[in-house]
C-alpha cells in the first residue's frame, strides 16, 4: 500500500494526523521519522516542522489470526460468560474457536449468533487490512457437528429423490450450509444440486438425473 | 452492553468520532439509539441489513446473559 509523508509542528502531531488519514491506530502504521523538527528560538526563528513517512503495516496471516482473536475477545468481553479464544490458520482461513461453558448461548438458533460474530469479525478485519479475509468462528465443535448432520440430511434427501424421481428442496440455508450440501452430493452421479431463491431465502434443490432422458421439470417440494 | 455496540460501530465506521449512542432503560428492557455520520449509515446497516442485524444478534446474546431485553435502532 501507499507511503505518505506528513508534516506537523511535532512528531506526535504528525503521527496523529497520519492515524487520522489512514484511519488506523498507531500500532498498525510503519512510521519513519524523517526529521524531528525544532521549535527554533522562541518558537519564531528557524522553526522546522517535523516530518514523518508513514505506510500501513502489512499484516501477515498469523497477524490476521491474532488480530481476529483480539477483535472477538473485545466483543465477548461484554457478554457475561467466561470465554477463552483459540486462533488457528487453516488453508488461509482464520479459524477462531471459542471455549466457553457450553450453554449454547453463543451459538443461537441454528448458529445465528455464531454467524453474527463471524460476520462482524470478518467485516472489521476486512476494514483494517483492506482485503477480504475468510473467518470461521466456532464453539463446542458446532460447525463440525452441523457439517455431519447436514451431510446426513443431504444423503437422505438424495435417496428420496432417486426413489421418487422427483426433485426435492431443502429449507432456507446460508451459504456455508448450502456449500456443505453441494459438496456432500458432488460425487453422487444420479442427482445434481443447484441453489435457488434470493438472499436469505436461498435453498438447495436436488434434481434426479436419468440417463438418456432430460431432467424432469422442476416441481419444488417443501422439505 | 452499550460499550459493545460502541466498540463494534466505531471499528466499522469511517467517522468514529461522530458515533453517538443514547441509552434508555426501562424496568427490564434497554433501548439503544445509534446516531452516526450519514456517510456511515449504509456501512453500519450493511447489505440487506446484514451488519446491523449481526450487531443486534450479538447484542441480544449479551443481553440474555444478563437476563435483559435490548433493542437497537439507527436514528437519523
Amino acid at each position: 500500500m501507499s507511503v505518505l509523508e506528513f508534516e506537523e509542528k511535532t512528531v506526535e502531531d504528525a503521527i496523529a494526523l497520519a492515524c487520522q488519514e489512514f484511519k488506523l491506530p498507531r500500532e498498525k502504521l510503519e512510521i519513519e521519522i524523517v526529521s524531528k523538527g525544532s521549535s527554533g528560538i522562541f518558537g519564531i526563528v528557524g522553526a522546522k516542522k517535523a516530518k514523518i513517512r508513514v505506510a500501513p503495516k502489512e499484516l501477515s496471516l498469523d497477524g490476521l489470526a491474532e488480530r481476529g482473536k483480539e477483535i472477538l475477545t473485545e466483543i465477548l468481553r461484554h457478554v457475561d460468560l467466561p470465554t477463552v479464544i483459540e486462533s488457528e490458520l487453516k488453508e488461509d482461513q482464520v479459524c477462531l474457536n471459542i471455549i466457553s461453558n457450553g450453554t449454547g448461548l453463543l451459538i443461537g438458533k441454528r448458529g445465528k449468533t455464531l454467524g453474527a460474530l463471524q460476520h462482524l469479525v470478518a467485516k472489521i478485519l476486512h476494514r483494517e487490512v483492506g482485503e477480504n479475509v475468510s473467518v470461521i468462528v466456532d464453539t463446542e465443535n458446532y460447525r463440525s457437528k452441523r457439517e455431519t448432520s447436514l451431510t446426513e440430511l443431504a444423503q437422505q434427501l438424495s435417496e428420496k429423490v432417486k426413489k421418487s424421481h422427483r426433485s426435492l428442496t431443502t429449507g432456507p440455508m446460508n451459504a456455508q450450509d448450502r456449500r456443505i450440501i453441494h459438496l456432500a452430493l458432488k460425487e453422487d452421479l444420479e442427482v445434481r444440486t443447484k441453489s435457488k431463491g434470493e438472499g436469505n431465502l436461498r435453498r438447495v434443490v436436488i434434481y434426479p438425473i436419468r440417463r438418456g432422458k432430460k431432467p424432469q421439470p422442476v416441481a419444488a417440494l417443501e422439505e | 452492553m452499550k460499550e459493545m455496540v460502541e466498540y463494534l460501530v466505531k471499528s466499522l465506521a469511517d467517522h468514529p468520532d461522530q458515533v453517538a449512542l443514547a441509552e434508555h432503560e426501562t424496568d427490564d428492557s434497554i433501548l439503544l439509539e445509534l446516531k452516526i455520520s450519514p456517510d456511515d449509515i449504509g456501512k453500519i446497516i450493511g447489505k440487506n441489513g446484514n451488519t446491523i442485524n449481526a450487531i443486534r444478534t450479538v447484542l441480544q446474546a449479551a443481553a440474555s446473559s444478563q437476563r435483559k431485553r435490548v433493542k437497537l435502532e439507527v436514528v437519523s
Side-chain angles (χ1 to χ4, degrees):
Chain A
M1 268 190 275
S2 54
V3 181
L4 289 178
E5 283 185 358
F6 295 91
E7 270 187 316
E8 266 302 325
K9 266 188 200 143
T10 66
V11 175
E12 283 307 307
D13 288 349
I15 291 174
L17 187 70
C19 290
Q20 227 176 37
E21 195 65 32
F22 282 108
K23 297 186 186 97
L24 285 171
R26 187 176 177 162
E27 310 85 68
K28 300 252 163 41
L29 296 175
E30 201 88 61
I31 297 167
E32 185 197 334
I33 297 169
V34 182
S35 73
K36 279 200 171 148
S38 60
S39 49
I41 305 156
F42 307 122
I44 313 165
V45 191
K48 248 176 77 187
K49 277 189 168 177
K51 195 174 180 184
I52 56 170
R53 207 168 278 155
V54 182
K57 258 185 205 166
E58 297 279 332
L59 272 177
S60 66
L61 275 171
D62 285 325
L64 277 181
E66 200 47 44
R67 184 68 194 124
K69 186 177 157 183
E70 281 169 30
I71 295 169
L72 192 54
T73 310
E74 182 61 35
I75 299 174
L76 292 177
R77 203 161 60 80
H78 306 289
V79 184
D80 253 356
L81 272 183
T83 47
V84 177
I85 295 157
E86 287 173 339
S87 64
E88 197 192 345
L89 275 180
K90 268 186 212 155
E91 299 149 19
D92 291 357
Q93 272 185 333
V94 175
C95 297
L96 301 168
N97 189 30
I98 308 168
I99 304 165
S100 184
N101 60 0
T103 51
L105 178 80
L106 293 175
I107 300 177
K109 195 180 170 193
R110 284 196 188 200
K112 194 178 161 197
T113 309
L114 216 49
L117 286 170
Q118 183 170 306
H119 177 84
L120 291 170
V121 174
K123 192 124 190 188
I124 296 175
L125 265 186
H126 168 81
R127 225 191 92 75
E128 287 181 357
V129 295
E131 56 184 293
N132 268 327
V133 190
S134 135
V135 179
I136 304 279
V137 177
D138 195 5
T139 182
E140 300 157 33
N141 283 323
Y142 175 78
R143 299 256 184 241
S144 60
K145 278 186 204 154
R146 179 115 183 115
E147 186 168 345
T148 319
S149 59
L150 281 173
T151 310
E152 220 164 84
L153 171 76
Q155 242 105 45
Q156 280 175 16
L157 286 175
S158 102
E159 286 309 313
K160 270 194 190 168
V161 169
K162 283 179 214 164
K163 267 192 197 144
S164 65
H165 302 292
R166 283 192 165 184
S167 60
L168 279 175
T169 315
T170 66
M173 284 179 182
N174 64 26
Q176 239 172 358
D177 289 354
R178 289 198 309 273
R179 181 168 177 270
I180 295 170
I181 303 274
H182 288 304
L183 288 179
L185 298 178
K186 203 178 74 177
E187 306 282 300
D188 198 328
L189 297 174
E190 289 172 71
V191 293
R192 67 191 175 85
T193 56
K194 201 168 189 268
S195 293
K196 256 195 145 181
E198 285 296 316
N200 291 334
L201 292 173
R202 265 175 97 76
R203 309 147 179 266
V204 182
V205 190
I206 304 168
Y207 300 97
I209 301 176
R210 274 206 272 173
R211 246 168 272 139
K213 258 191 178 179
K214 272 192 177 174
Q216 291 192 336
V218 188
L221 286 171
E222 198 47 54
E223 183 192 341
Chain B
M1 213 77 71
K2 191 179 165 193
E3 295 95 64
M4 183 167 85
V5 179
E6 217 155 27
Y7 168 74
L8 285 169
V9 174
K10 283 189 175 168
S11 326
L12 291 168
D14 280 335
H15 306 285
D17 48 318
Q18 289 178 39
V19 173
L21 202 55
E23 194 175 21
H24 305 284
E25 196 165 350
T26 57
D27 291 342
D28 57 349
S29 73
I30 302 168
L31 173 65
L32 293 171
E33 284 184 332
L34 176 67
K35 261 194 191 142
I36 38 177
S37 148
D39 303 341
D40 279 332
I41 287 187
K43 192 171 248 166
I44 295 301
I45 293 176
K47 191 173 160 193
N48 285 332
N50 273 339
T51 304
I52 189 75
N53 283 334
I55 297 177
R56 285 180 180 137
T57 304
V58 175
L59 188 64
Q60 269 147 18
S64 76
S65 77
Q66 299 172 9
R67 312 215 168 272
K68 278 185 185 154
R69 283 166 195 276
V70 67
K71 269 179 122 180
L72 172 65
E73 298 284 346
V74 180
V75 291
S76 51

